[in-house]
Amino acid sequence: MESLDDVIDAMIADRVIHRHRRKWLIVIALVVVVALVVLATGGWTQKKGRTVPTLTAPTTVESGEWEYNFTATEAEIRRKPKTKYSEAEAKLRVYFDLKNNDSEEHTSKYLDGRLVRMVPGGGKDLVESNGADCRGELGWVLVYGLPPESCYTEFDVAPDFAEEVVELGILGNRYESDNGLLGADEDPYWHNPVPDAVVRVKTKVVVDGEDE
Amino acid sequence: MRTANRAVRLTVQISLLLALLSGSVFVMLRSYLSDDERIYNEGRINQVVSQGGPVTVADVEWKLDSLESYTRLTDDEGEEISLDAPAGSVIIVATVTVTPGEAVYLKNGGFTCNASLRDDRGNSWPSANAFDFALPTSCSDDEHPFTRGKDGKIAQVFVVPGTAVPHLTGIIVEDLAERNRVLIKP
Amino acid sequence: MKLYRPATILVGVLFILLGGLTRLATPEQVYDEQNMKAVRGTVGEVLQYGGGDSTVKVTRMKFAKAIVENDEDKPIETNGVFVAIEWDTVRGSEKPNNIKATLTADGGTVYAPIGLTNSGMDFPEAGFGKTGAVIFEVNPSDLKDLTLNVRPTMFFNTYNSYVLVDLGIPGDDIAQRMVDEAAAQYVLPRPVVRVAS
């Protein structure tokens, strides 16, 4: 003697699945085909190209907590020739005036080198800068409310680097909060860097006698 | 009959509730009270050895040979060794015999061994570097390599305030992996 | 099936509440400022740090237009003004947390120390005291109620407390006077360790 549960299960199976068997198979086949098509044509999300403005130095960029004023029309490729004790080196130095634009928290801070990156081209990975050297100190802490400081940043490049124009990606943090659902603190803070602009700068080669 | 049943059911429900409540409170507090890591970080000593030991911690055998105080240290040429020892401080030198066991990882005959100095008020001081001292002050000194199973003599130098000297109890050797802290009294 | 007896629902709700209370009560997970105890003081006062027996004291505050590090000859200049806070720390038996020092002012600005080697604030070994200086570059128009915040860098302790030192600038006129009377240069000293009494 079947139990009531078994009878109910059989009824549900009959009414939902068995009577509409063909429709179910068609639906499943359609989903599989659509998935294969999407896979074959390169994915679900549309590949966007560069969506940030490309500017040419001299120019000003506001990004996150900082305001950059690229004053010099040229960046320097500082070459250090090979000596008896060391290999030949080169650094790309870019000059700009830097202002602390943290209107949310008014906190003094130094420039995180990961916010300014060089685009070497050819699909290679972006090169991070070393932060901002202002008043002779790398990692100088800039105060909110004070005028911009003249600074420069440097990238390590190959000794024979000779690009005539370099592109710099400027990223900026956003003042937002974490998702409180997972238990995180919901107070907003500066994080989640997003690309804000690309700045193109011409270069000139400078032979470095002695580091300043 | 019905009321009796209801009373019994109620009693069972209440006692189940109490049991679950106390169970959850116990679980909630136990992980905090017996948090070994927290207790270790607060400076708990697991083991006290007197007469200088010997005692094995993290497969290294330690034996405290002497614990002496000095106002200054000199090297083998009679020159004073510079230590950051301000006026009113005393230099304590612990001479120790260290024997690395079979399981110790030796790199170029050296390994990390570290002792700190402890007093009865809960203060502890880390060992200081004393270059050119008669004995090596670390277990990774190129001129005095160790071999497993063989003794080696080292010194651990400490700079403490003069007022701490009567309170000193001994040296402490720690095994972070086992959260074990051993006090070796002279 | 009678799944929805009121007693069962009540028990379920009770355990959820208990879980919530546990999460709120566990000290390690609380980041809010309200749970930190502030130890307030003024210049010259010895203040307890971090709930243990270590202390912090601001000896004096100086304004300057440029900073010279001990041996370097080139002074570092500013478009604002430099504030040098000379401090005295004494270490007790408990190991105090590393210090994060900031200045806050009435206008909402938060100042961080400049990155020079000898500028900072920390503790010596047990039983010793240390003196040194920490330098901040500040905006002269936001100096009212300037306060030194001395916080532990790690908040995951059962006893959370921090030190607030009122630097004695109650009004904009006093702030302006201090900026006008700022020394041309401040020589940043190397920290000095001594035996605490």
Side-chain angles (χ1 to χ4, degrees), chain A residues 77-88:
Chain A
I77 300 177
R78 301 177 75 92
R79 295 230 180 115
K80 238 212 235 159
K82 181 170 157 54
T83 66
K84 192 154 59 122
Y85 304 107
S86 58
E87 295 294 316

Side-chain angles (χ1 to χ4, degrees), chain A residues 5 8 11 33 39 42 54 69-70 78 89-90 93 120 123 127 130-131 133 172 175-176 178 182-183 193 197:
Chain A
D5 287 331
I8 294 174
M11 271 179 61
V33 165
L39 204 68
T54 306
N69 188 2
F70 293 90
R78 301 177 75 92
E89 295 181 340
R93 182 185 288 194
V127 181
N130 66 349
D133 186 317
Y175 195 67
E176 37 194 40
D178 285 329
L182 296 170

Side-chain angles (χ1 to χ4, degrees), chain C residues 121-181:
Chain C
M121 200 164 169
D122 62 348
F123 286 94
E125 293 301 331
F128 290 101
K130 189 169 181 180
T131 57
V134 58
I135 317 276
F136 297 84
E137 187 183 11
V138 303
N139 178 2
S141 47
D142 194 7
L143 280 174
K144 183 166 155 212
D145 290 331
L146 197 64
T147 311
L148 175 71
N149 275 243
V150 185
R151 270 166 208 271
T153 51
M154 293 211 331
F155 296 133
F156 310 123
N157 277 345
T158 46
Y159 194 105
N160 292 329
S161 83
Y162 60 108
V163 169
L164 285 177
V165 183
D166 181 357
L167 296 169
I169 306 183
D172 283 320
D173 44 348
I174 301 192
Q176 190 54 53
R177 185 153 50 84
M178 300 212 66
V179 172
D180 294 336
E181 293 173 2

